[in-house]
Amino acid sequence: MWATARRMASTTRSASSAALTFELVGKCSTTRARASILTLPHGQVNLPIFMPVATQASLKGLTPEQLEATGCRLCLNNTYHLGLKPGQEVLDAVGGAHKFQGWNHNLLTDSGGPMLLTPEHSMSLQNSIGSDIMMQLDDVLVTTHPDKARMREAMERSVRWLDRCIAAHKYPERQNLFCIIQGGLDLEMRRECCREMVARDTPGIAIGGLSGGEAKDDFCKVVATCTEQLPELKPRYVMGIGYPEDLVVSVALGADMFDCVWPTRTARFGNAITKHGVLNMKREMYAADFGPIEEGCGCQCCRPVGQEGSLGITRAFIHHNAAKETVAAHLLTLHNVWYQLDLMRQAREAIIADQFPAFVKKFFVGLYPDGQSYPSWAVNALRGVGIELLGR
């Protein structure tokens, strides 16, 4: 099993690069969980964090002001989509994606998508977008790919492409290029890739290639293996994960940043994320339920009527509109984004207070009140960093 951290940070520690400062403000004395402040060109971001995905320069159904009101200070754009439309010429003319979409906070762009790209082209597009964090172009395979030789080829190609991305990056003084660790489920290959990528000294480091259908036990082993190898004073980003259980366990394993389209996509199917699991608001049981989406939630939908910014939305209203009106999708998106961000805010507060194990246990009790149906992958992963879920 991976080593367990046993101390809190006695003093704040920080490290800086040209366009990023990473300040470690707290560590769990049991697990690997960390709390930190990431300062980027468009302001501070408290870590750990979940980053909503605004694929085509907008979070579907939300205005920039509504997204800002959730507390979001870092969200994602997609290089591939923005490269196609509005296109690089328009982005250059307007002065980048921040101005194009009216977003005054930080942006992260992934490296590309299903289009022909070179590292140089990917960097050029991301330079035009003007994102605060830009991702290297990497060779991504699903983790369950059976050809080990092809997996090694992809890992080694990703290292070579990072070198080309670094050389092609035009604005390192105002945009941060993150590397991406590859290697599938082969832990030794992941360690090798970590060593190569860390040697390039990028401002931050991502763990890529997960959420590709692998078993959750394998997912956790990869995250734990990589975080064990990575520098303490750099942000660690696990790409493409968004289920609440995945976020909480990954924080315990030492990761800081996460993204996924799932919270916003599931909202469009009428689903609300809550501390007791996902609620399908299309179910008839909510037709005459005049309570909030989630009691005690601080989002604009759920705040009690009379509180500042409250929309006074009921489950019955969401149910009434969920089948055919877009307003329900918009409101559930607002709620789900708030939930994800607030979950990470709570985790951060627990880490700073050195109460993170208690937070984790309370979180899992909320989802599995009988205590008997905890997912084995979560039990195993948390046991590896000192939290015994079954020993309440």
Side-chain angles (χ1 to χ4, degrees):
M1 277 294 181
W2 40 90
T4 302
R6 293 291 180 187
R7 61 183 177 85
M8 285 287 287
S10 57
T11 58
T12 298
R13 301 176 60 203
S14 64
S16 298
S17 55
L20 178 153
T21 298
F22 181 83
E23 187 177 4
L24 187 64
V25 297
K27 292 179 66 176
C28 174
S29 61
T30 301
T31 70
R32 294 185 187 175
R34 307 119 57 81
S36 53
I37 300 171
L38 181 64
T39 303
L40 298 167
H42 285 83
Q44 287 189 351
V45 181
N46 289 333
L47 305 182
I49 188 175
F50 175 80
M51 301 174 287
V53 180
T55 302
Q56 301 190 60
S58 67
L59 204 70
K60 287 183 175 66
L62 299 191
T63 65
E65 291 79 9
Q66 288 174 316
L67 180 57
E68 182 180 49
T70 67
C72 177
R73 295 298 179 265
L74 174 58
C75 69
L76 270 70
N77 283 174
N78 182 278
T79 300
Y80 157 70
H81 284 286
L82 295 185
L84 290 179
K85 185 179 180 182
Q88 192 166 8
E89 184 176 344
V90 171
L91 290 166
D92 285 334
V94 76
H98 291 88
K99 292 182 180 179
F100 181 71
Q101 66 198 72
W103 180 246
N104 298 319
H105 303 290
N106 296 291
L107 288 173
L108 183 153
T109 43
D110 59 7
S111 59
M115 65 188 297
L116 181 61
L117 277 175
T118 64
E120 292 77 17
H121 186 197
S122 179
M123 291 298 98
S124 179
L125 284 174
Q126 293 186 77
N127 283 150
S128 292
I129 290 169
S131 48
D132 303 86
I133 297 174
M134 45 200 285
M135 304 307 299
Q136 73 155 103
L137 185 67
D138 58 341
D139 186 0
V140 186
L141 297 178
V142 294
T143 51
T144 53
H145 195 287
D147 188 340
K148 187 172 182 178
R150 176 66 182 90
M151 189 65 74
R152 170 161 290 279
E153 179 185 47
M155 183 273 282
E156 293 176 348
R157 178 176 288 124
S158 295
V159 175
R160 295 196 304 272
W161 280 359
L162 175 61
D163 289 333
R164 290 172 61 182
C165 286
I166 291 170
H169 181 17
K170 292 186 289 188
Y171 307 122
E173 74 284 355
R174 62 176 188 259
Q175 289 180 275
N176 297 284
L177 173 61
F178 280 24
C179 66
I180 305 176
I181 307 297
Q182 292 293 350
L185 300 180
D186 186 316
L187 300 185
E188 189 49 49
M189 201 181 300
R190 287 281 184 172
R191 292 186 186 97
E192 182 181 345
C193 193
C194 284
R195 290 191 294 269
E196 292 292 336
M197 295 304 195
V198 167
R200 271 74 177 171
D201 197 27
T202 56
I205 301 171
I207 302 169
L210 296 172
S211 297
E214 71 278 351
K216 288 291 184 71
D217 278 310
D218 291 330
F219 163 86
C220 292
K221 289 175 184 176
V222 169
V223 173
T225 296
C226 291
T227 58
E228 189 174 39
Q229 304 291 311
L230 300 181
E232 184 177 57
L233 295 181
K234 289 193 177 185
R236 304 165 181 170
Y237 167 26
V238 182
M239 303 179 74
I241 69 166
Y243 294 131
E245 301 98 311
D246 296 359
L247 301 181
V248 170
V249 171
S250 294
V251 169
L253 297 180
D256 308 307
M257 302 167 62
F258 316 95
D259 79 283
C260 190
V261 299
W262 174 74
T264 49
R265 178 176 290 165
T266 203
R268 299 195 291 275
F269 288 99
N271 295 320
I273 309 171
T274 78
K275 62 186 176 183
H276 299 301
V278 176
L279 308 181
N280 181 353
M281 304 307 296
K282 292 181 179 180
R283 296 179 65 187
E284 193 62 29
M285 63 185 290
Y286 299 117
D289 187 336
F290 303 112
I293 299 170
E294 181 173 23
E295 196 70 47
C297 172
C299 81
Q300 286 184 286
C301 298
C302 297
R303 289 175 205 163
V305 174
Q307 279 193 12
E308 183 179 356
S310 172
L311 297 176
I313 301 300
T314 66
R315 290 178 172 184
F317 179 80
I318 295 292
H319 170 82
H320 175 69
N321 288 281
K324 54 186 177 180
E325 300 294 339
T326 59
V327 65
H330 298 175
L331 293 168
L332 287 173
T333 297
L334 194 63
H335 168 82
N336 287 353
V337 169
W338 173 277
Y339 175 89
Q340 298 286 91
L341 293 173
D342 190 55
L343 180 65
M344 294 295 93
R345 282 190 286 262
Q346 293 178 50
R348 174 187 171 82
E349 291 170 2
I351 294 165
I352 291 172
D354 203 15
Q355 295 294 317
F356 183 70
F359 162 80
V360 172
K361 290 183 179 183
K362 182 179 179 182
F363 167 79
F364 275 96
V365 167
L367 289 180
Y368 306 95
D370 63 359
Q372 303 301 312
S373 54
Y374 292 138
S376 61
W377 66 269
V379 172
N380 294 336
L382 291 170
R383 182 178 291 143
V385 288
I387 298 178
E388 183 54 71
L389 281 185
L390 299 177
R392 290 189 290 165

